[in-house]
Amino acid sequence: MSRKITVLGSTGSVGRQSLEVIAACGMEAAALAANSNVRLMEEQVRKHRPALAALADEKAAADLRVRLADTSVRVAGGLEGVLEAATFGRADTVIAALVGMAGLRPTLASIREGKRVCLANKETLVCAGPLVLEEAIDYGAKIYPVDSEHSALFQCLEANRDRGEVKRLILTCSGGPFYGKKREELARITVADALKHPNWSMGAKITVDSATLMNKGLEVMEAMHLYRMPAEKISVVVHRESIIHSLVEYCDNAMIAQLGAPDMRLPIQYALTYPERVPGPSIPLDLWNCGPLTFGTPDMTAFPCLALALEAAKTGGTAGAILNGANEGAVAQFLAGKIGFLDIPAKVEKALSQIKAVQNPSMQDILDADQAAREAVG
Ligand code: MG
């Protein structure tokens, strides 16, 4: 399949796996952008030969320019450089895999160029869902989910023509590395404990989000926007095996599920190839040896971040931006060793109660809410 692709966040977990898919499926990496990982970016450029490489960190970009002096690759730096990659004329497709609210502007820039946007940056929709989706319609950009749960929902909804037939969306949740622990035990969780995630190799921020279950809460909000479903019609079920990636329950009580081995390369590939399916690098699911599948209820007392996110989803407006900004601030403090694991939900709750959510927000309202939330967590 001949796609020319920009990967925003190419040195992160989703970015690295995207490059594997791109190479395996014979597609072209047109531009790569990342934050500051010079060493890996140089390696990726030499291997995948994009025309443009951008690093958000100016010093890192200057270093990369020297390292790639023997090639014809253009090296760009700063937010300008990342935006140049996001809007790169040669690319028809963008994989938006930057982490956090920082991904919003580049993702919007790609949308405004009418690109096919494969979205892995869930914070973009959590903070500014309605605005981003409106712009996608205005500029004729198509958005396809990369997150495994949302890719599963997308596949379970494919035959559906009338959303009125959908009773609810059900997101599966692995339960995180601290599944089964009570609050007293969670209070003693250290940064090192939180970064030992059993299932996937992910960046530090999303690893902590997976441990607090905030990641699942952000995913509920992402699904709400992507599939235009009210928060009340989205449920979370704990499924430890991560074989079923999510389900749709229809009004006749039929449930459609999507199954697969826990391998991000499959949802990444489907976002790139939809509506086609092609052989790719993801590992097949061995149903005969995968063991029993289990289902349970999430413990929202031990993991209040999920409850806070569900509440913010119901509130709507800027509540998503407040929740996300407070969470990004609190997780950074936890990773710096300044606060405890249970202080993350406490700080998010405080921000949500202190800052009033604005309905039908403008982009400025969203940026203001994000800023106020970061200040509220200190
Ligand atoms: Mg996910």
Side-chain angles (χ1 to χ4, degrees):
M1 177 168 290
S2 65
R3 278 198 194 287
K4 297 176 178 61
I5 303 161
T6 287
V7 184
L8 302 177
S10 67
T11 59
S13 171
V14 170
R16 294 193 307 267
Q17 296 181 80
S18 296
L19 286 171
E20 280 181 46
V21 171
I22 289 168
C25 296
M27 301 177 194
E28 177 188 330
L32 304 180
N35 188 33
S36 62
N37 190 338
V38 182
R39 191 197 50 75
L40 183 54
M41 180 58 94
E42 181 190 359
E43 196 184 308
Q44 291 182 336
V45 168
R46 292 194 185 279
K47 182 160 183 205
H48 299 278
R49 294 277 159 194
L52 170 68
L55 287 174
D57 184 300
E58 297 272 12
K59 272 175 81 179
D63 186 6
L64 184 67
R65 205 166 284 125
V66 173
R67 287 169 180 246
L68 292 174
D70 63 313
T71 71
S72 59
V73 176
R74 176 173 152 68
V75 175
L79 175 62
E80 287 312 307
V82 176
L83 291 173
E84 186 181 334
T87 57
F88 194 48
R90 185 171 168 75
D92 49 49
T93 301
V94 174
I95 296 177
L98 291 163
V99 179
M101 180 75 172
L104 177 59
R105 271 191 68 187
T107 305
L108 266 181
S110 301
I111 286 172
R112 288 176 183 156
E113 291 296 316
K115 309 276 193 205
R116 177 189 188 103
V117 176
C118 304
L119 190 67
N121 173 256
K122 62 193 75 170
E123 293 88 347
T124 293
L125 289 183
V126 168
C127 296
L131 288 182
V132 169
L133 295 170
E134 225 170 84
E135 297 232 355
I137 292 169
D138 290 349
Y139 289 90
K142 289 268 182 281
I143 298 179
Y144 295 103
V146 164
D147 214 344
S148 61
E149 292 80 359
H150 304 79
S151 177
L153 292 172
F154 181 66
Q155 294 174 65
C156 298
L157 286 166
E158 250 174 63
N160 173 245
R161 283 175 304 275
D162 177 5
R163 282 295 138 83
E165 294 174 357
V166 175
K167 193 199 264 181
R168 62 176 161 168
L169 310 178
I170 304 168
L171 278 91
T172 50
C173 169
S174 75
F178 307 131
Y179 171 76
K181 289 203 191 307
K182 297 295 164 212
R183 279 186 73 83
E184 311 79 73
E185 300 166 89
L186 293 172
R188 295 190 296 273
I189 294 292
T190 65
V191 175
D193 295 331
L195 294 184
K196 272 186 264 151
H197 195 282
N199 284 342
W200 318 76
S201 161
M202 306 178 295
K205 196 262 176 182
I206 186 170
T207 300
V208 175
D209 285 348
S210 297
T212 61
L213 300 197
M214 180 58 94
N215 184 57
K216 202 52 56 181
L218 298 176
E219 288 183 354
V220 167
M221 301 182 97
E222 186 184 4
M224 174 175 91
H225 294 303
L226 266 180
Y227 303 117
R228 298 178 196 281
M229 292 289 284
E232 292 76 10
K233 289 191 172 185
I234 306 178
S235 304
V236 174
V237 66
V238 172
H239 168 54
R240 298 287 291 152
E241 298 78 20
S242 300
I243 297 293
I244 294 180
H245 298 302
S246 279
L247 316 86
V248 174
E249 184 176 23
Y250 284 92
C251 57
D252 58 359
N253 295 327
M255 271 191 196
I256 311 286
Q258 188 257 333
L259 288 74
D263 185 336
M264 275 304 293
R265 291 171 299 185
L266 175 54
I268 292 167
Q269 179 177 314
Y270 196 55
L272 288 170
T273 65
Y274 172 84
E276 289 174 38
R277 289 187 187 272
V278 301
S282 77
I283 49 172
L285 170 60
D286 180 1
L287 262 190
W288 295 265
N289 293 295
C290 80
L293 303 183
T294 60
F295 303 95
T297 307
D299 180 353
M300 292 204 252
T301 312
F303 299 96
C305 280
L306 179 55
L308 290 168
L310 296 179
E311 199 51 47
K314 284 177 192 153
T315 305
T318 51
I322 298 167
L323 174 97
N324 181 69
N327 182 59
E328 283 193 31
V331 169
Q333 288 176 13
F334 172 72
L335 286 171
K338 290 181 186 154
I339 63 171
F341 188 74
L342 288 179
D343 293 328
I344 299 172
K347 292 212 167 219
V348 172
E349 182 167 21
K350 188 175 142 219
L352 281 168
S353 66
Q354 276 180 0
I355 307 161
K356 199 173 150 32
V358 177
Q359 294 300 326
N360 304 313
S362 65
M363 191 53 82
Q364 195 54 50
D365 292 331
I366 289 163
L367 297 173
D368 290 347
D370 175 68
Q371 190 58 37
R374 284 167 202 268
E375 281 164 19
V377 300

